[in-house]
Amino acid sequence: MGAVCLDQANEKYNEINLGSEYDRLFIFCETQGSHLVLRLYDDGLLTLDLQCRETDRSIFNTSSVRALEHRLATHLGGLCIVHNSLYCPVRRGHSIWPYAVSADERLLEFDYDKVVYETNSKWQNIRIFHSKLLGNTLVLDGECMLGESDLIYTQTLCHIGQEVYQDKTVLVLGGGDGAILHELLKENPQFITIAEIDFEVIDACRRYMRSVCGDSLDQLSGRNYQIVLDDCIKVLKDNVEKGIVFDYVINDLTEFPVNKSVPGFENDCSSASLIMQLSLKVLKPDGKVFARGNCIGATSYRAELEQDIRCLDCRFHRRDLYIPSFQEVYCFYEIWRNSDVSHLDYSVDQSK
């Protein structure tokens, strides 16, 4: 079997008996360093994992894997009833790790081809990758935040074209990539306040994501906007104490709240409900909260968030939309106080 899979397999191989006669593990090695792990199970299942350095097997591609699958099926003959192969290799050992896990625990692979920028701030690891399909993409602590391809994300979260922002006040929680600020400034609002804790995110995006933020991040304040460099929970509490209210609160924070176990964060927040409660306290009676709500596959997170909204005596409309750089369908929430929207019901718009 080793000779079928490897060009220069050693005659010697390691065999491990794992119990019964047909429950065995075989390891075959090639003189150039590649190796094959063959696992035989007592129910007839046979799995093969071939590992090699790219320098050892530069032609390891879809065509070569298909040819290998055919050779194996021919070698096994009638013993092989069903066979399947992963035709693209899983690539490890490179400077760029292209893989992520979906909300429902499926493997995702990105076409990142270079690291445009990387730094470690007080709060998090910040990287901007270049992708042939997505353009430059912001990744924080290994999680994709926004790509140059994701205008639809910003427009959907903010309900651009559906809400009238002219002469309105807006509080944005997060938003350090500048995308929301850039799009809202086009709507001629009265004033926008951005609460962003990490200046390094702002600096990275204004240098390498200008198609997303334009020149909106070049200054931390302008005629009708200000970027406050602080924890959004502190900003919310400060506004509550001062009695300041907004027409819109836009929550562009990552799904998982700050936690004392993470170095640098001061707030111990076990769920997003605290941020939701504070957002409602700084909202005008007829105002709205717009919030991101994780991917459609994160069913437990979504259920908890929606229950939090109901417990706060609010109603919501959810829209589900595919976001290119996430490679998943994402949930967006529009939230009102229950007393102000008695004619509305909980609803979901599953647009794709």
Side-chain angles (χ1 to χ4, degrees):
M1 185 69 74
V4 175
C5 300
L6 301 172
D7 295 334
Q8 301 177 38
N10 293 324
E11 294 182 2
K12 294 182 179 180
Y13 59 86
N14 294 323
E15 177 181 354
I16 303 173
N17 189 328
L18 299 174
S20 67
E21 180 181 359
Y22 298 107
D23 193 8
R24 295 171 180 269
L25 178 73
F26 300 86
I27 303 175
F28 300 89
C29 293
E30 192 179 46
T31 56
Q32 295 181 353
S34 299
H35 69 273
L36 169 73
V37 177
L38 185 152
R39 178 72 160 89
L40 176 63
Y41 295 83
D42 54 14
D43 62 357
L45 175 65
L46 178 67
T47 63
L48 298 99
D49 297 303
L50 176 61
Q51 295 189 32
C52 61
R53 300 296 298 268
E54 286 188 338
T55 53
D56 298 336
R57 189 178 288 267
S58 59
I59 60 170
F60 192 63
N61 51 37
T62 300
S63 297
S64 63
V65 175
R66 286 184 183 276
L68 173 57
E69 182 182 23
H70 177 72
R71 292 200 306 272
L72 286 168
T74 301
H75 181 76
L76 293 171
L79 295 175
C80 182
I81 301 173
V82 177
H83 56 85
N84 296 288
S85 297
L86 180 63
Y87 295 118
C88 59
V90 175
R91 299 173 176 87
R92 298 182 293 182
H94 292 261
S95 58
I96 298 176
W97 182 252
Y99 301 103
V101 178
S102 69
D104 56 353
E105 299 185 346
R106 292 174 291 107
L107 184 66
L108 304 175
E109 182 175 5
F110 297 89
D111 68 336
Y112 301 143
D113 54 13
K114 68 176 179 178
V115 179
V116 176
Y117 177 79
E118 180 172 11
T119 191
N120 288 304
S121 73
K122 175 183 177 182
W123 312 102
Q124 57 204 335
N125 173 260
I126 302 167
R127 285 180 291 180
I128 295 179
F129 292 111
H130 177 263
S131 160
K132 295 177 182 177
L133 293 176
L134 308 172
N136 285 354
T137 304
L138 175 65
V139 176
L140 303 180
D141 283 340
E143 298 292 332
C144 179
M145 294 292 110
L146 192 74
E148 290 183 308
S149 61
D150 293 339
L151 178 60
I152 191 171
Y153 168 91
T154 305
Q155 292 179 333
T156 303
L157 175 60
C158 300
H159 292 70
I160 300 295
Q162 299 175 337
E163 297 291 328
V164 178
Y165 283 98
Q166 184 172 348
D167 299 325
K168 299 295 178 65
T169 56
V170 185
L171 173 62
V172 181
L173 309 179
D177 52 55
I180 292 176
L181 178 60
H182 182 58
E183 293 303 315
L184 290 186
L185 285 175
K186 301 174 184 177
E187 305 295 312
N188 196 28
Q190 179 181 328
F191 202 82
I192 303 171
T193 302
I194 305 286
E196 169 58 51
I197 199 169
D198 198 340
F199 175 76
E200 296 291 345
V201 172
I202 295 173
D203 187 52
C205 291
R206 68 184 178 186
R207 294 164 62 188
Y208 301 106
M209 301 276 287
R210 292 192 74 83
S211 68
V212 167
C213 63
D215 61 359
S216 62
L217 298 179
D218 289 355
Q219 304 294 328
L220 295 181
S221 62
R223 178 184 61 83
N224 59 346
Y225 76 91
Q226 181 181 12
I227 300 174
V228 179
L229 297 175
D230 208 341
D231 187 331
C232 74
I233 294 180
K234 182 177 182 298
V235 173
L236 284 165
K237 289 181 176 180
D238 287 346
N239 281 286
V240 170
E241 292 176 0
K242 295 175 183 177
I244 299 174
V245 291
F246 302 86
D247 294 292
Y248 297 97
V249 177
I250 301 177
N251 185 338
D252 192 32
L253 301 169
T254 55
E255 289 77 11
F256 301 101
V258 296
N259 188 302
K260 281 185 177 178
S261 64
V262 180
F265 289 107
E266 298 177 357
N267 298 93
D268 184 10
C269 180
S270 59
S271 77
S273 60
L274 172 60
I275 294 173
M276 185 66 68
Q277 290 176 43
L278 291 170
S279 296
L280 292 170
K281 287 184 177 181
V282 300
L283 195 66
K284 292 182 179 180
D286 59 347
K288 293 181 180 180
V289 174
F290 297 142
R292 51 184 283 170
N294 213 324
C295 300
I296 192 71
T299 54
S300 60
Y301 179 93
R302 189 172 69 253
E304 180 180 348
L305 174 61
E306 293 178 3
Q307 182 59 30
D308 282 345
I309 296 172
R310 294 184 179 100
C311 288
L312 293 169
D313 196 28
C314 291
R315 300 197 177 195
F316 66 86
H317 175 263
R318 193 185 89 217
R319 186 180 184 189
D320 304 332
L321 202 69
Y322 182 83
I323 304 302
S325 71
F326 298 172
Q327 296 190 21
E328 293 194 73
V329 173
Y330 208 77
C331 304
F332 299 88
Y333 287 86
E334 180 179 9
I335 303 164
W336 308 262
R337 286 191 180 90
N338 194 35
S339 58
D340 298 323
V341 288
S342 57
H343 62 288
L344 295 174
D345 199 357
Y346 305 115
S347 59
V348 174
D349 175 12
Q350 294 180 320
S351 304
K352 301 294 188 290

